[in-house]
Structures are given as C-alpha cells and as structure tokens.
Amino acid sequence: MDTKKRILDEALTLFSEKGYANVFVAEIAERVGIKAPSLYKHYKNKQAIFDAIIEEMNRRFLGEAGALQINGADAAMDADIYKKLSEEQLITLGNNLFLYFLHDDYTRRFRKMLTLEQFHDKKLADAYMKQYVDDPLSYQGMLLGLMVSSGVLQTDNVEIMTLHFYAPIYMLLTICDRDPDREAEALKTLEAHIRQFNRLYARNEEIIQNNKKKSRRKIK
Amino acid sequence: MDTKKRILDEALTLFSEKGYANVFVAEIAERVGIKAPSLYKHYKNKQAIFDAIIEEMNRRFLGEAGALQINGADAAMDADIYKKLSEEQLITLGNNLFLYFLHDDYTRRFRKMLTLEQFHDKKLADAYMKQYVDDPLSYQGMLLGLMVSSGVLQTDNVEIMTLHFYAPIYMLLTICDRDPDREAEALKTLEAHIRQFNRLYARNEEIIQNNKKKSRRKIK
DNA sequence: GTCTATAAGAAGATAGAC
DNA sequence: GTCTATCTTCTTATAGAC
C-alpha cells in the first residue's frame, strides 16, 4: 500500500480509538514509519487527512448501497432467500450480519470514529444515522416486507416489525463496540432474540393450515 | 449556585457538546463569568473538573438506583402499577420514560458526554453501559416480569421480552440525541412500538380484546 | 477569590538540506 | 519524499498584586 493510503488507514485506526483531537500528527506519522513533516507532503494538514477519510467513507458506503445487507450487493437474491426463510436460516443470517458489522475492520473503525466525532459536525451525525439506523431499517424492512407478502411472517405494521428485528441488533452492536468481551454473551442473546422474533411474528399454524387449503388466495 | 458548582455545570455542558479535549479552561471560566486563572482556585486543574463531574454522576446515578425507572425512586409502587397496566398506560409510561431520558438536562448532558469520552477511559464506557443498557434492562425486566406473573403478558423468556421492549426505546434515544428534529417522529414510532409490543406479548386473544375495549376509553 | 501578566510546554505546520 | 531544525500558535497552569 502506498504511503498516502497508509496514512489514511493509520489515521482512521487512531481516530476511532482516541478521537480526532487526541491524535497527534506525529503519532500517525510514526505508525506509517515516517516523521511528521513528511506527512505534509501527502496532505495539506491534519484536517485534510480527516476529510479524506470521510470522503472515502462516502464512496464506500454509496458503493455498498445501504448497509446491513445480506449478500452485500445483490438485493434480488436477498429477496429470494428471505421469501422462504426458516428460523435457523434467519438466525444464521442475523449472525452473519451482526458479525460482519462488528468485525469488518473498516466498518468497525468507522462506526467508532463517527461515534466519537458525531457532535462536532452535523454531517458526521447524519452519516452515522444513515449508515447504522436509516439504511439498515429501510433495507431490512424491504426484506421482511417480502416475508410478510410471501406469508412467512405476519404483521400489519412492517415498519415496527423491522424496528423489533433491528433495534436489538443495533443495541448489541453498541454493547460490543464498548466492551468486546461481551461478544459471546451478545451472540447468545442475538440467537434468542431472533428465535423469539420469529415466534412472535410467524404466522400461526392454524392460519398456515388454512392457507394451504385455500392455496390460491393470497393474504396481504 | 456557588462558583464551584457553576464551574461543574458549565463544564458538563461544554464537554457534552464538544468533548473534553475541545473545551478550553478559559471557555469554561468565561461562561461562569470569571477568568481562567480564578478557576484554579476551585479546582486543581482541568482533569480535576472532569473527575468531579464523574464523581457527581456516580453519586446521582447511585441515588437513582438504576435508570429508566417509572417513578424514579419507588420500585414497589412501580410494580403495583405494572401488574395491571392497560395498553394506554403502558404507552404513557413509555413516553414519560423516553422523554425524561431525552429532556432531563442532567441526564442528557451526561449521556452525550459519556458517548464522546467512552473510548478514552474504560470506566466511562462501563458507566454508560450500566446507566443506559444494563440497569434499564434489569429494572424493566423486573417490572415486565411482574406483568407476566400477574398474567397481563405472556412469554417464556422475560429477558428477551425486555430487550424487545427497551431496545427500540434505546435506539430512538440515540436518534434524538444526534438529531433533535426527529423527536416528533420518534414519539410516534415509540407509541406504535409499544402498541405492537403489547399486542405481541399480551396473554391471549381474550385479553387483547379486553385491552382494546379499555383502550378506547383512553385511560391516562 | 478575582484579576493581569507570564511562564511552560505541547502540537501543528514550515524551511530548506539531501 | 524524507529528514532535522525551527517557528508559531494555542492552551494549561502559575505568580503575585489587590
């Protein structure tokens, strides 16, 4: 990796751990293996490093087209999977989702940096919300909506159902960001959450049986 | 209010808005209406101000004996209320709870400060988690458990039920902390959430019907 | 306890050699 | 592009008068 990129990488790591104000230019330089003045040949100043990180984030996040996706890119495929999801599959997907968000190096460092810098700059707060609240809710809502249409789940308010699915995941994520030691506990909770979620929203047996008899009829 | 207390108050406000490192001693002093050097007659240094804030927090939080309480102090009374809660009452309580956390000046500033400084000091991350995750879950779990015992709600996993109740509230709180303009939207979502929560966990059809009838009477 | 003046030091940024 | 040396600015903190 070239120096310019390595600076961004090390800076992101440091910013996510200590916050912008607590990271010194000399510190970033040291990690890259150069002296502070050399760094100014690559970026105009400290703020420019931060701005470049944000710019890269916007590029990546746009590329990902909404976070918390199942397959990362192929929404149509996700939709097909979701339409006929068993409980075990739902759990597996929830797990992968959670673990991706938690462990993916880039995502994790970003989330932590945005958490620390969110009140400095409204744009960062907005980016955080889009990435970790609104986009996930919107995407997951679309997928869960499909499960409702196809009759796997039942509700008259998909939006709230999605909140019930995602809010616990979000909360577990913020727990593990603060204390990585609680990951095992969080994974157990996550599984129990999804099982219970599935039980609460699954169409009950009677209706499913009925539905089989009147198989032509589609219930919204 | 005496100068010593006013320093803490203004410092907390500034720390919660900009983070410790971005607040200058002169800034705190100015808000108090004195010059920076005078401030050192009250506190040894900047860190001592921060420490005093944390100390006060621990005192207050201990005094409150677990956050997200209904009446703030009287758990027994809360328990009695919960045992026979109608849907409308559950909503009112959820609202009060949410609004208290969001608007109480002290609580709000603390939460924001802890959010900004959490990775700076493990103790602060722990304080945040205790106050906004573990204590609320534990306290709400106790109360919802009573509702299960008394037959208002039904579940075989109170812990997850509590997560389903509280995680959306927590998420809405983090949304409004970042963007106060979304409060109205959050309140609507909160109500819909609690209604759906109640429907999902209410004991059975008969009780749901009963609750719906009671709901129409709009009991505060 | 508050002030003015100022010391002490940290951190960002530049100059200029190589 | 990287270095050493240095400048500049900002911020904490102290000294000492009132």
Side-chain angles (χ1 to χ4, degrees):
Chain A
M1 190 158 30
D2 66 7
T3 306
K4 192 152 185 170
K5 274 219 177 304
R6 293 204 46 226
I7 291 170
L8 287 195
D9 192 56
E10 295 296 346
L12 174 56
T13 301
L14 287 165
F15 291 158
S16 75
E17 284 166 358
K18 322 207 285 182
Y20 180 83
N22 299 303
V23 174
F24 313 137
V25 174
E27 217 172 344
I28 301 170
E30 194 193 7
R31 293 235 187 159
V32 175
I34 59 179
K35 299 290 181 183
S38 308
L39 194 144
Y40 287 86
K41 296 286 178 184
H42 300 278
Y43 295 95
K44 191 185 133 220
N45 54 29
K46 188 181 173 185
Q47 185 63 44
I49 298 173
F50 185 82
D51 293 344
I53 290 175
I54 299 300
E55 212 177 286
E56 192 189 357
M57 174 196 76
N58 286 328
R59 230 179 12 255
R60 288 213 199 188
F61 283 0
L62 269 174
E64 283 183 13
L68 267 190
Q69 300 178 18
I70 297 299
N71 289 314
D74 190 344
M77 187 173 153
D78 291 354
D80 271 351
I81 293 171
Y82 261 70
K83 271 184 195 156
K84 42 199 168 189
L85 223 52
S86 73
E87 184 173 287
E88 295 308 318
Q89 286 173 310
L90 196 60
I91 289 168
T92 303
L93 290 172
N95 259 302
N96 290 346
L97 204 113
F98 176 74
L99 290 173
Y100 168 78
F101 254 43
L102 188 61
H103 288 172
D104 179 77
D105 230 44
Y106 196 74
T107 303
R108 202 194 77 255
R109 285 182 295 167
F110 252 123
R111 189 173 53 251
K112 292 178 86 166
M113 191 183 79
L114 290 182
T115 298
L116 293 178
E117 303 303 328
Q118 60 187 322
F119 299 135
H120 291 171
D121 181 353
K122 181 77 162 54
K123 272 180 298 188
L124 299 185
D126 290 345
Y128 180 98
M129 291 238 282
K130 177 168 158 37
Q131 188 66 6
Y132 299 110
V133 177
D134 297 317
D135 279 0
L137 282 176
S138 142
Y139 192 82
Q140 295 293 305
M142 185 268 282
L143 293 174
L144 292 176
L146 287 168
M147 293 179 74
V148 172
S149 312
S150 74
V152 186
L153 300 179
Q154 184 178 37
T155 186
D156 57 1
N157 190 336
V158 176
E159 211 178 304
I160 296 298
M161 181 176 81
T162 309
L163 185 69
H164 285 167
F165 181 76
Y166 181 62
I169 296 178
Y170 173 80
M171 190 166 161
L172 291 172
L173 204 60
T174 70
I175 291 174
C176 291
D177 275 345
R178 286 177 176 101
D179 188 354
D181 290 346
R182 291 177 71 168
E183 181 178 330
E185 167 207 336
L187 281 170
K188 277 174 72 177
T189 304
L190 179 62
E191 179 178 336
H193 152 55
I194 296 179
R195 263 185 221 289
Q196 187 132 323
F197 171 88
N198 190 49
R199 222 173 305 141
L200 290 169
Y201 282 103
R203 237 186 204 185
N204 69 48
E205 282 308 312
E206 198 178 350
I207 290 177
I208 288 171
Q209 291 309 317
N210 267 334
N211 213 31
K212 279 178 184 166
K213 286 171 193 166
K214 319 171 201 167
S215 55
R216 261 176 287 154
R217 236 177 123 185
K218 283 209 169 178
I219 299 173
K220 274 185 231 167
Chain B
M1 189 160 25
D2 66 9
T3 307
K4 191 153 185 167
K5 274 218 178 304
R6 295 203 44 228
I7 291 169
L8 287 196
D9 193 56
E10 296 296 345
L12 174 56
T13 300
L14 287 165
F15 290 160
S16 74
E17 285 167 356
K18 321 209 282 181
Y20 180 83
N22 298 303
V23 174
F24 312 137
V25 174
E27 217 172 344
I28 302 170
E30 193 194 7
R31 293 234 187 160
V32 175
I34 58 179
K35 299 290 180 184
S38 308
L39 194 143
Y40 287 86
K41 296 285 178 185
H42 301 278
Y43 294 95
K44 192 184 132 220
N45 53 30
K46 186 181 173 186
Q47 185 63 42
I49 298 173
F50 186 82
D51 293 343
I53 291 175
I54 298 300
E55 213 177 286
E56 193 189 355
M57 173 196 77
N58 286 328
R59 230 181 7 258
R60 288 214 200 188
F61 285 180
L62 267 175
E64 283 183 11
L68 267 189
Q69 298 179 17
I70 297 300
N71 289 313
D74 191 343
M77 189 174 153
D78 291 353
D80 271 351
I81 292 171
Y82 261 69
K83 271 183 196 157
K84 42 199 168 189
L85 222 51
S86 73
E87 184 172 286
E88 295 307 319
Q89 287 174 312
L90 196 59
I91 288 168
T92 302
L93 291 173
N95 260 303
N96 290 346
L97 203 110
F98 176 73
L99 289 173
Y100 169 77
F101 254 43
L102 189 58
H103 289 170
D104 180 78
D105 229 43
Y106 197 74
T107 303
R108 202 194 78 256
R109 286 182 296 168
F110 251 123
R111 189 174 54 251
K112 292 178 85 165
M113 190 182 82
L114 290 182
T115 298
L116 293 178
E117 303 303 328
Q118 61 185 323
F119 299 135
H120 200 216
D121 180 353
K122 182 74 163 55
K123 273 181 297 188
L124 300 186
D126 291 345
Y128 180 98
M129 292 240 280
K130 177 169 157 40
Q131 189 66 6
Y132 301 109
V133 176
D134 297 318
D135 279 0
L137 282 176
S138 143
Y139 192 81
Q140 295 292 306
M142 186 267 283
L143 294 173
L144 292 176
L146 287 168
M147 292 179 76
V148 172
S149 310
S150 73
V152 185
L153 300 179
Q154 185 177 37
T155 186
D156 56 3
N157 191 335
V158 176
E159 210 178 305
I160 295 297
M161 181 176 80
T162 308
L163 185 69
H164 285 167
F165 181 77
Y166 180 62
I169 295 177
Y170 174 80
M171 191 166 162
L172 291 172
L173 203 61
T174 69
I175 290 174
C176 292
D177 275 344
R178 287 178 175 99
D179 187 355
D181 290 345
R182 291 178 70 169
E183 182 178 330
E185 166 208 336
L187 281 170
K188 277 174 71 176
T189 304
L190 179 62
E191 180 179 335
H193 153 54
I194 295 179
R195 263 186 221 291
Q196 186 132 324
F197 172 87
N198 191 48
R199 222 172 305 140
L200 290 169
Y201 282 104
R203 195 164 184 193
N204 57 38
E205 281 308 314
E206 198 176 356
I207 289 177
I208 288 172
Q209 292 311 317
N210 267 333
N211 279 347
K212 278 182 181 165
K213 282 172 198 163
K214 283 178 196 164
S215 295
R216 287 189 205 106
R217 280 188 246 139
K218 296 264 175 197
I219 299 169
K220 199 170 59 153

